[in-house]
Amino acid sequence: MGILEKMEGRNEINFGNATILALGKAFPHQLVMQEFLVDGYFKNTNCDDPELKQRLTRLCKTTTVKTRYVVMSEEILKKYPELAVEGLPTVKQRLDICNAAVTEMAIEASQSCIKKWGRPISDITHVVYVSSSEARLPGGDLYLAKGLGLNPETKRVMLYFAGCSGGVAGLRVAKDIAENNPGSRVLLATSETTIIGFKPPSVDRPYDLVGVALFGDGAGAMIIGSNPIRDIERPLFELHTAIQHFLPDTEKIIDGRLTEEGISFKLERELPQIIEDNIEDFCDKLINMSGIKDREYNKLFWAVHPGGPAILNRLEKKLDLSPDKLSASRRALADYGNASSNTIVYVLEYMLEEKKDITDWGLILAFGPGITFEGILTKNLTI
């Protein structure tokens, strides 16, 4: 018996299981075309090292990114020229910019999501806020709630510095809240900007160029709740089973530190290989927890956070997926870059657009610092 036959109730919603009821997104105004990024970056940082420039040019081609939105602009660099200077303590300036920017984008994405949801904003009972781009007390969850005009009794949860797995981690937390609080409606918001880690190129930090070529800014939002109200709410996905797993002794593979110069990230070369070596066992564990004993991967849809083309390529090869299975992830990567925790929202939106390729059941996956694997077995409710 195959997976689609094993999991009965094709488009029926299981009572009590959390569902994604709406999606929303927002971006800063600055759109960067990948073909112009290299010249602009080296001009803005007053660097003329031909070897570094050639290396970044190669990376920009291999990332498969075509466009990205960023908060950084010439106006910001004119106001804060020290951001482009090596070794200066600029964390205060960066946080001033980032804290305001991520709040603005999170509010805009949430408003878009709530409008699509169709219910009053006063019906939101909980907020889960995710970001690796700010640091302050009170946190961005409060400023988001205030900016939206939420009831002061709205319950808030904040996830900081979960990196690329933050969006799916937040979705897992929102699922638990929705399923354990009958009638609740959870707003999940993610918001990220690369200004917190913007630096001039350096021969001592060649790995920084990967981030320059790959990462983008933006925000995402979802409304999650159980037992959708018929004729009012239009559920998109049912969240069936969620798991998290970290790989022991891999803490330094994705290494980030908050310093006086902002956040410094270092990604080790073996990251794609480590994910490839462990992805099959993780997916099998997630599927088996739901009572499924077979492994018909190509009968599932795959909403995978696009950490980079190497990760997607290795996952596709390891699981013997047909090329169309990761099309939404590749499209999100091309259009928005790796926007950290936000990107899974963009992937899910593209999956809904590409209805010809989406099946009944699938996996939502992301990989972040730890190395941490996040996965949710999910049912498509739109077909």
Side-chain angles (χ1 to χ4, degrees), residues 48-329:
D48 58 0
D49 187 309
E51 184 177 341
L52 288 175
K53 193 171 185 179
Q54 187 178 40
R55 182 177 296 176
L56 181 57
T57 300
R58 290 195 303 269
L59 285 170
C60 283
K61 293 178 180 178
T62 58
T63 60
T64 70
V65 177
K66 295 181 179 179
T67 56
R68 278 177 290 171
Y69 292 89
V70 295
V71 172
M72 179 60 80
S73 64
E74 291 185 1
E75 289 74 21
I76 289 177
L77 284 174
K78 285 180 182 179
K79 185 176 181 180
Y80 302 98
E82 61 270 28
L83 298 182
V85 179
E86 184 75 28
L88 293 184
T90 54
V91 67
K92 181 184 183 301
Q93 297 94 313
R94 293 173 189 274
L95 289 176
D96 286 345
I97 301 167
C98 292
N99 291 344
V102 294
T103 298
E104 181 180 352
M105 291 188 293
I107 291 172
E108 185 179 342
S110 298
Q111 289 172 334
S112 171
C113 185
I114 293 166
K115 184 177 180 180
K116 294 176 184 177
W117 175 41
R119 287 179 59 180
I121 195 169
S122 57
D123 288 349
I124 294 174
T125 60
H126 297 74
V127 170
V128 177
Y129 176 74
V130 180
S131 183
S132 296
S133 305
E134 63 158 90
R136 53 182 161 173
L137 292 174
D141 60 320
L142 184 138
Y143 291 103
L144 171 61
K146 179 181 177 181
L148 290 172
L150 296 181
N151 187 315
E153 294 184 357
T154 302
K155 302 173 183 66
R156 311 185 316 273
V157 175
M158 185 169 57
L159 301 181
Y160 268 1
F161 298 108
C164 292
S165 59
V168 182
L171 186 56
R172 172 174 50 78
V173 172
K175 165 182 159 59
D176 288 346
I177 292 173
E179 292 176 353
N180 287 281
N181 294 270
S184 62
R185 290 297 180 264
V186 185
L187 170 65
L188 167 63
T190 65
S191 194
E192 308 285 3
T193 174
T194 52
I195 282 185
I196 193 70
F198 179 88
K199 290 181 177 63
S202 170
V203 293
D204 296 326
R205 298 189 315 275
Y207 41 82
D208 278 3
L209 296 180
V210 176
V212 175
L214 183 63
F215 291 107
D217 299 356
M222 305 186 202
I223 298 290
I224 296 96
S226 300
N227 307 324
I229 300 175
R230 189 180 298 273
D231 299 326
I232 297 178
E233 295 176 313
R234 297 169 296 280
L236 306 173
F237 298 97
E238 179 184 302
L239 306 176
H240 191 277
T241 304
I243 64 172
Q244 181 193 66
H245 178 78
F246 76 89
L247 303 176
D249 302 320
T250 62
E251 297 92 334
K252 299 298 183 182
I253 301 300
I254 305 174
D255 190 41
R257 299 174 184 273
L258 185 60
T259 72
E260 291 185 349
E261 299 175 58
I263 289 183
S264 297
F265 279 110
K266 186 176 181 181
L267 306 176
E268 297 292 348
R269 290 178 177 270
E270 58 263 43
L271 175 61
Q273 183 64 58
I274 292 173
I275 292 175
E276 178 184 356
D277 291 343
N278 292 275
I279 187 61
E280 189 169 16
D281 287 343
F282 181 77
C283 291
D284 286 349
K285 180 179 180 181
L286 179 55
I287 293 172
N288 290 339
M289 285 182 67
S290 305
I292 304 166
K293 301 304 181 184
D294 52 15
R295 301 189 310 168
E296 299 176 80
Y297 292 143
N298 278 300
K299 289 187 178 180
L300 297 168
F301 66 81
W302 294 79
V304 181
H305 169 79
I311 291 173
L312 295 178
N313 292 342
R314 286 174 178 266
L315 188 149
E316 181 180 281
K317 181 180 178 181
K318 180 70 173 182
L319 302 179
D320 196 24
L321 299 178
S322 58
D324 62 298
K325 288 299 176 179
L326 297 180
S327 61
S329 296

